[in-house]
Amino acid sequence: MIKFDNKLEIRYSFNDKSAYMDAWIKHRCEKEILSMLRVLADLLDVKMTAHCEPFSQEGGYRVVWPIAGESTRSISVVLNILMQVLTRPTLSVGGQPLVDRTNADEENMQKEISLLKRSLKLKQAGALIPRELVELLASWPKFCKYKSNFYEALRGYPKVTKINVRELNENNRSRSGSLEVKREQFDYFILRSDDLPTIKDNKATIEIISPVLKDSRYRWKGIYNKGGETIDFYMCDEDFKKQMFDEKISFTSGMCIDCVLEIARKLSELGETINISYTVTTVIRTRFDKLEIVTPQGKRHLRKLEAEKKQLTLDLFG
């Protein structure tokens, strides 16, 4: 017999007394929650399986998922993080992200996950879920997309007035307080666009495979230093293109450029971050074997960075 010490309850409240729910809406919503549950379990290396135990109720619909696995405590941690992330708003009233996600946030999230994973493996008593980790996971683009899909499905189903989630024990008694999101709050979770902020790599290196000088509509091809991936990119440094066209800089197989690279990104339906375009805005220097040549625009760029660095130092230390 499988023992279910942990259960996740989702309660949909309706604007009438029926106990029926549209099957397409229900399964779309549950797909997003189960996806979040699987990702969280994998992040924290918690072995678990989810089962179904549905209940109807007057004036709403209640779904209970019994969860089985190696550690009741670890499963409880996963479920509590899931509930907090699912009910923590992602957007402001104007539809803007509540926080600007940075590379430092990604690094901090991985650090907090590693610490919590280690705590769960050591089976330390009373290990708390870091508030910072919940906040970082709530703003993680992957989870933002799952939440957006979930609440968008419910927004298109006027019958649902609110949702509640809570953890239950094996006897269906509450293990945690119930977390609630009302219909008027759904918009705080629904993304207006799948586009993500463009990131800028000020220290990119690209080995040029094939340049295109005559038509700016066509992309160049090169090997990007981070991961050694082959990319197609737009060359928007007109000075550099003119220098090559006038043969002040000659293209040689194996030539590399150090440059400022802007990467446009978006979210897939599965919440994965996809790079959709690469654009070189400034070529700082060219390199071939041991020969390095800093471009005029590269010198201007480096002087600007140095000036900004000095100004920042003055602002910080007076």
Side-chain angles (χ1 to χ4, degrees):
M1 290 288 292
I2 300 177
K3 188 176 181 180
F4 299 112
D5 291 326
N6 312 82
K7 298 183 181 183
L8 178 66
E9 179 191 77
I10 306 168
R11 198 181 284 255
Y12 303 93
S13 297
F14 297 157
N15 58 11
D16 57 31
K17 294 185 178 181
S18 72
Y20 297 96
M21 185 171 183
D22 183 285
W24 296 108
I25 301 294
K26 174 179 177 291
H27 287 294
R28 182 182 174 189
C29 290
E30 292 178 358
K31 170 181 172 290
E32 304 303 332
I33 295 179
L34 286 172
S35 295
M36 290 178 66
L37 187 61
R38 173 49 55 206
V39 170
L40 273 174
D42 289 344
L43 285 174
L44 295 172
D45 199 21
V46 176
K47 308 299 181 186
M48 54 188 287
T49 59
H51 298 255
C52 296
E53 184 182 325
F55 290 87
S56 292
Q57 64 184 47
E58 184 177 347
Y61 195 89
R62 177 185 177 209
V63 176
V64 175
W65 288 330
I67 310 294
E70 297 176 356
S71 169
T72 297
R73 174 174 160 274
S74 295
I75 292 173
S76 185
V77 168
V78 170
L79 294 184
N80 274 275
I81 292 176
L82 171 67
M83 293 188 298
Q84 292 185 64
V85 169
L86 182 65
T87 57
R88 187 179 292 263
T90 304
L91 307 172
S92 65
V93 176
Q96 297 299 314
L98 290 174
V99 294
D100 292 326
R101 192 81 177 185
T102 65
N103 289 334
D105 289 329
E106 301 297 330
E107 294 171 1
N108 289 338
M109 187 179 81
Q110 294 304 323
K111 179 182 176 182
E112 292 291 344
I113 287 171
S114 296
L115 291 173
L116 182 55
K117 187 193 300 186
R118 188 182 310 158
S119 172
L120 294 177
K121 284 188 178 298
L122 293 174
K123 299 180 180 179
Q124 295 175 349
L128 299 176
I129 300 171
R131 180 177 177 181
E132 182 181 5
L133 176 58
V134 173
E135 293 175 349
L136 290 168
L137 287 170
S139 66
W140 190 26
K142 180 186 283 287
F143 281 174
C144 286
K145 183 61 177 177
Y146 288 146
K147 290 191 290 182
S148 180
N149 292 342
F150 175 81
Y151 287 103
E152 187 173 26
L154 290 179
R155 185 178 64 175
Y157 191 48
K159 183 175 181 176
V160 174
T161 59
K162 66 179 180 180
I163 63 112
N164 292 79
V165 290
R166 62 175 177 164
E167 183 188 4
L168 307 176
N169 63 16
E170 68 275 16
N171 298 316
N172 289 335
R173 296 175 182 266
S174 183
R175 271 179 176 266
S176 66
S178 176
L179 298 179
E180 176 183 280
V181 179
K182 297 179 180 178
R183 165 167 286 276
E184 53 267 31
Q185 299 171 308
F186 289 175
D187 280 344
Y188 297 150
F189 298 86
I190 300 171
L191 298 170
R192 274 42 172 187
S193 168
D194 289 333
D195 293 335
L196 292 171
T198 297
I199 59 174
K200 182 183 291 187
D201 185 351
N202 288 303
K203 298 181 180 179
T205 297
I206 300 175
E207 180 182 341
I208 298 176
I209 298 174
S210 59
V212 181
L213 299 178
K214 292 186 177 180
D215 196 331
S216 60
R217 293 175 300 173
Y218 295 101
R219 290 180 289 182
W220 295 32
K221 187 178 290 290
I223 300 174
Y224 182 31
N225 63 323
K226 292 193 174 178
E229 60 182 314
T230 300
I231 62 172
D232 296 318
F233 63 94
Y234 294 102
M235 174 56 73
C236 291
D237 187 332
E238 297 300 328
D239 291 336
F240 179 72
K241 286 197 290 186
K242 187 175 187 305
Q243 289 156 7
M244 290 192 70
F245 189 78
D246 295 341
E247 297 185 348
K248 293 179 180 179
I249 297 176
S250 58
F251 171 70
T252 306
S253 178
M255 183 176 81
C256 295
I257 57 172
D258 295 334
C259 59
V260 178
L261 181 68
E262 293 185 352
I263 305 173
R265 308 170 302 153
K266 67 178 296 184
L267 286 172
S268 72
E269 186 64 23
L270 298 176
E272 301 292 342
T273 299
I274 301 172
N275 296 336
I276 56 176
S277 72
Y278 299 84
T279 302
V280 171
T281 57
T282 305
V283 176
I284 299 170
R285 65 175 64 84
T286 61
R287 291 193 287 109
F288 180 71
D289 286 338
K290 296 182 180 180
L291 178 64
E292 291 189 8
I293 301 175
V294 180
T295 65
Q297 61 272 28
K299 291 178 182 178
R300 293 193 297 270
H301 175 76
L302 293 173
R303 284 197 297 267
K304 180 181 177 183
L305 289 181
E306 185 62 28
E308 291 175 350
K309 183 179 178 181
K310 289 181 179 179
Q311 186 59 50
L312 180 60
T313 302
L314 287 173
D315 292 342
L316 289 174
F317 302 105

